[in-house]
Amino acid sequence: MLEVAGIVAGYGPMDVLQGVSMSIASGEIVAVLGSNGVGKSTLNNVLSGIVKPRAGSVRFMGADITGASPSAIVAAGLSQVPEGRRIFPNLTVRENLELGAYRRAGARMKSNFEHICDTFPRLRERLGQLAGTLSGGEQQMLAIGRGLMAEPLLLILDEPSLGLSPLMVEEMFNLVQRINREGLSILLVEQNVVQSLGIATRAYVLEQGRFALEGAAADMLADPRLRQTYLGL
Amino acid sequence: MSALILPAMLGGLTTGAIYALVALGLTLIYGVLHIINFAHGSLLMLALYGVYFLHVWLGFDPYLAIPIIAPLFFVLGYALQRGVIAPFSGGKEQNVLLVTLALSIVFDNLALYFWTSNTRTVAVSYAYTMVEVGPAFIPLPKVIAFFAAMLCAAILWLVINRTRIGKAIRAVAIEKRGAQLVGIEVEQTYAVCFGIGTACVAVAACLLIPTFYVTPQVGYAFVLVAFTTVVLGGMGSFAGALVSGLLLGVIEALCGLFLGETLGQIGIFVAFILILLFRPAGLFGQRTA
Ligand SMILES: Nc1ncnc2c1ncn2[C@@H]1O[C@H](COP(=O)(O)OP(=O)(O)OP(=O)(O)O)[C@@H](O)[C@H]1O
Ligand SMILES: [Mg+2]
C-alpha cells in the first residue's frame, strides 16, 4: 500500500535522509529502528507531507502523494501519531477526538468515537477534561485515539511508548497489535527494539541517512551478529 | 455630581462595547496567528469610509450596511493574510510586524490621497434621539451600538467554541503541528481568523459612524485603545478583551466627567499602568514564563 523510493530530505544544507526506499504491504506492522537523530521522525514527516522531500517519490494506495499537503494525505488515509503527542491541550478530550475526524471519516464520527472510547475506557471517563491536564500515558492514548478517528488505512506511530512506565509500555504494544488485527497497517518507530521486533512483520534499520538493514523481524531478533552490530543488544 | 456618575458610567459602557469589539478582532488575530496586527486601525478607517460612502452614494443606513460591509471586510482580511501578509513575511514573526505596519502606512496614505484629510460625518435622523436608561438619557445610536457589539461578541464566542471551524481555530492557535496532522489547513485557518478579526472592525465601523466621524487618521485613536484593551485583558484572551474594553470605556467616561472631556483618555492609560503593575499578565492572562 505504501512504496517509498529514493527519498532525500533534510533541513538547511544538511540531507538527513540520503536515498531511503521502503514498502509496506496491507496488514503489516513495519518497524523502523535507528539511533537518536538519525532521521526516523524526518521520514515520518516526509510521508505525512510536513517535510517536502528533495528527491524521490512516495506512493500510497497506488497514487503519487510526493509533496502533497498534509491534509490531502490524511484524506487519502495515511495518519500519523507524532512524537511528543501534539494533542490540543486547550481543548477537551472529546474535542480532541472530534478533530481527529476533521478531514476524513466525519460521517462515521459517532460510531468511531464510541469504538475508541471502548478501546480506551480511561478517555471515556475524562471526555470533558482539558487534554493538557491528562497524565502522560492518557495523553498518548488520546493521541492514538485522535489518529484512529480518521479511520486511516496506514497509521504511523512515532515512539508511542516514550515516557510510559514499563507496565504501560507493555499495554501499548498489546494495543498496537490489537488495532493491527482489526485491519490497520502500521509503521512503528520505536526505541524499544526487542518489543517492536516482537510484534512487527518486518523491520528497517536506519543508519547515516540510509537503510543499512531490512528484513523479517523474527530473523533480526534471531541473528546474534545483527543484534550486536545494529541493535546494540 | 453623584447624580451624573451613573449616567456617565452607562455612556462609558456604550463606548467600551465598541472598544471591546475592535479589541476582540485584534486579540483573535494575536491569539491564533501570534502576530500583532498594526493594520487593524487602518482597516477600521477603511470600513468607516466604506459605510460613509454607502450612505452618501447609495443612501444606505449605517446599520443596514452591516450585512454588506462585514462580509466584504471578511474577504478583504482573508485576502490580505493569504495574498500579502503570509507570502511577504515568509513565516518570520518579526517580518509580519513590518508587513502589517507597511499595510497601515499604505492604507492611511491612500486614504489621504483619495479622500483628503477632511473630517466627514454621516447625518442620520435618529442621531439625537434620546433613550431613557434608568437614571440616564443616552443617544439611541449608542444604545444600539452597545447591544449590537455585545451580540457580535456572543456570536463570535459561539463560532469559536461551538463550531467545527472554531474548534480548528483553537487547535491551530496552540498546536500547529498537531492541527496539520489531523488535516486542518493551517494557512487557510489563519486567513479565516484574519478575516473574522477584520469583520469585527467593519461591524464596529457601522456602529460607530452615526455618532463619530471619519478621517484618514481616525484609526490611530482607536487602535491605541484597542492595543491597551488587548494587553490589559491578557494577550489573546477573549473574555479579557471583552471585560477590559467595557472597563476602559467606563474609566474614560468617569475621567471625562471629573477632569473634563478632553482628558478622558488619560484615565485609560493610568488604569493600564496601574493594573499591569499588579497583574503583569493582564486581567485574564495566564502567568507563563
Ligand atoms: N526542523 C528541523 N530543523 C533543522 N534540523 C532538524 C529539524 N528537525 C530535525 N532536525 C535534525 O535532523 C536530524 C534527524 O532528526 P529526526 O527528528 O528525524 O531524528 P529521529 O531519528 O526521529 O531521532 P529521535 O530518535 O531522537 O526521535 C537531527 O539531527 C535533527 O537535529
Ligand atoms: Mg524522532
Side-chain angles (χ1 to χ4, degrees):
Chain A
M1 65 190 332
L2 183 80
E3 291 103 39
V4 177
I7 288 293
V8 177
Y11 312 92
M14 174 184 62
D15 284 337
V16 175
L17 303 176
Q18 300 160 0
V20 166
S21 303
M22 71 183 302
S23 68
I24 298 176
S26 185
E28 276 191 307
I29 298 180
V30 171
V32 169
L33 310 170
S35 51
N36 290 122
V38 79
K40 304 179 298 294
S41 299
T42 303
L43 174 62
N44 292 343
N45 287 336
V46 168
L47 300 181
S48 282
I50 285 170
V51 173
K52 304 289 173 214
R54 292 168 178 168
S57 71
V58 183
R59 294 182 67 78
F60 180 64
M61 303 307 289
D64 186 359
I65 57 163
T66 321
S69 73
S71 85
I73 290 172
V74 171
L78 202 175
S79 289
Q80 183 188 162
V81 178
E83 191 173 8
R85 299 157 193 152
R86 303 283 186 166
I87 53 160
F88 308 119
N90 55 333
L91 271 61
T92 63
V93 169
R94 177 189 294 278
E95 288 172 325
N96 267 271
L97 289 175
E98 285 168 355
L99 274 176
Y102 188 84
R103 185 59 66 203
R104 194 178 144 90
R108 285 175 302 285
M109 184 154 85
K110 280 235 154 55
S111 59
N112 288 336
F113 185 87
E114 285 307 314
H115 182 63
I116 286 162
C117 287
D118 290 341
T119 313
F120 304 105
R122 292 174 71 141
L123 292 185
R124 191 196 288 286
E125 292 163 18
R126 294 170 169 76
L127 287 177
Q129 193 175 328
L130 288 183
T133 65
L134 294 177
S135 80
E138 289 160 358
Q139 291 192 10
Q140 189 61 55
M141 291 175 196
L142 179 60
I144 295 177
R146 185 182 71 180
L148 292 174
M149 283 294 287
E151 283 184 9
L153 306 168
L154 173 63
L155 185 67
I156 300 174
L157 293 168
D158 196 337
E159 307 212 11
S161 71
L162 195 71
L164 301 186
S165 66
L167 212 66
M168 281 290 297
V169 171
E170 192 62 42
E171 207 178 300
M172 181 64 64
F173 278 97
N174 288 336
L175 173 80
V176 172
Q177 238 174 342
R178 183 144 48 100
I179 54 181
N180 172 252
R181 286 205 198 100
E182 287 175 14
L184 187 57
S185 311
I186 287 171
L187 172 57
L188 178 65
V189 170
E190 258 300 335
Q191 300 288 355
N192 289 301
V193 173
V194 177
Q195 274 159 305
S196 305
L197 291 177
I199 65 166
T201 359
R202 289 183 305 117
Y204 292 84
V205 179
L206 193 56
E207 245 189 25
Q208 293 175 355
R210 290 168 201 280
F211 284 136
L213 187 66
E214 59 179 278
D219 295 347
M220 282 201 199
L221 260 184
D223 187 330
R225 194 182 55 88
L226 297 185
R227 285 175 61 136
Q228 197 180 20
T229 352
Y230 292 107
L231 309 176
L233 298 170
Chain B
M1 195 68 181
S2 64
L4 293 176
I5 290 180
L6 202 55
M9 287 175 75
L10 287 174
L13 276 181
T14 64
T15 317
I18 303 272
Y19 290 158
L21 187 53
V22 175
L24 279 177
L26 201 58
T27 211
L28 177 68
I29 292 170
Y30 178 81
V32 178
L33 284 77
H34 312 294
I35 62 171
I36 292 167
N37 176 22
F38 278 119
H40 209 59
S42 304
L43 289 165
L44 177 71
M45 178 272 297
L46 287 183
L48 283 164
Y49 275 109
V51 202
Y52 173 82
F53 285 119
L54 272 182
H55 179 77
V56 173
W57 292 340
L58 301 172
F60 264 92
D61 182 88
Y63 300 125
L64 296 182
I66 293 177
I68 298 173
I69 295 279
L72 205 68
F73 271 69
F74 174 86
V75 173
L76 175 66
Y78 186 98
L80 278 179
Q81 167 61 25
R82 274 236 112 139
V84 182
I85 298 172
F88 281 92
S89 53
K92 297 206 181 69
E93 292 189 8
Q94 65 271 33
N95 291 4
V96 178
L97 220 74
L98 291 177
V99 174
T100 62
L101 189 61
L103 277 176
S104 84
I105 293 171
V106 169
F107 288 153
D108 291 357
N109 285 285
L110 283 177
L112 200 58
Y113 180 77
F114 284 110
W115 302 319
T116 73
S117 61
N118 290 348
T119 301
R120 298 163 199 245
T121 53
V122 164
V124 287
S125 57
Y126 47 78
Y128 297 103
T129 308
M130 293 303 212
V131 183
E132 192 176 350
V133 185
F137 285 91
I138 295 172
L140 179 62
K142 294 211 153 206
V143 176
I144 294 176
F146 177 80
F147 286 106
M150 290 300 108
L151 182 66
C152 276
I155 292 172
L156 196 57
W157 189 89
L158 283 175
V159 168
I160 289 174
N161 287 291
R162 292 281 181 270
T163 65
R164 183 177 127 97
I165 181 73
K167 230 183 291 166
I169 285 173
R170 283 181 292 141
V172 169
I174 201 143
E175 183 44 77
K176 188 172 145 185
R177 173 61 55 82
Q180 281 177 311
L181 287 174
V182 298
I184 296 169
E185 309 258 14
V186 171
E187 287 306 322
Q188 191 187 324
T189 309
Y190 281 170
V192 166
C193 274
F194 211 94
I196 294 176
T198 309
C200 285
V201 145
V203 174
C206 297
L207 300 177
L208 203 53
I209 201 139
T211 56
F212 210 65
Y213 59 89
V214 54
T215 71
Q217 296 85 24
V218 72
Y220 292 121
F222 266 88
V223 86
L224 197 58
V225 177
F227 279 134
T228 311
T229 309
V230 168
V231 175
L232 192 59
M235 301 291 281
S237 162
F238 185 96
L242 192 60
V243 170
S244 68
L246 293 172
L247 183 69
L248 290 182
V250 172
I251 290 174
E252 182 186 26
L254 288 177
C255 279
L257 183 66
F258 290 114
L259 306 176
E261 197 74 44
T262 49
L263 292 179
Q265 289 218 332
I266 282 186
I268 289 184
F269 300 108
V270 171
F272 177 69
I273 291 167
L274 285 181
I275 293 176
L276 288 194
L277 217 51
F278 295 104
R279 286 193 64 92
L283 293 174
F284 288 69
Q286 260 102 32
R287 216 170 265 267
T288 47

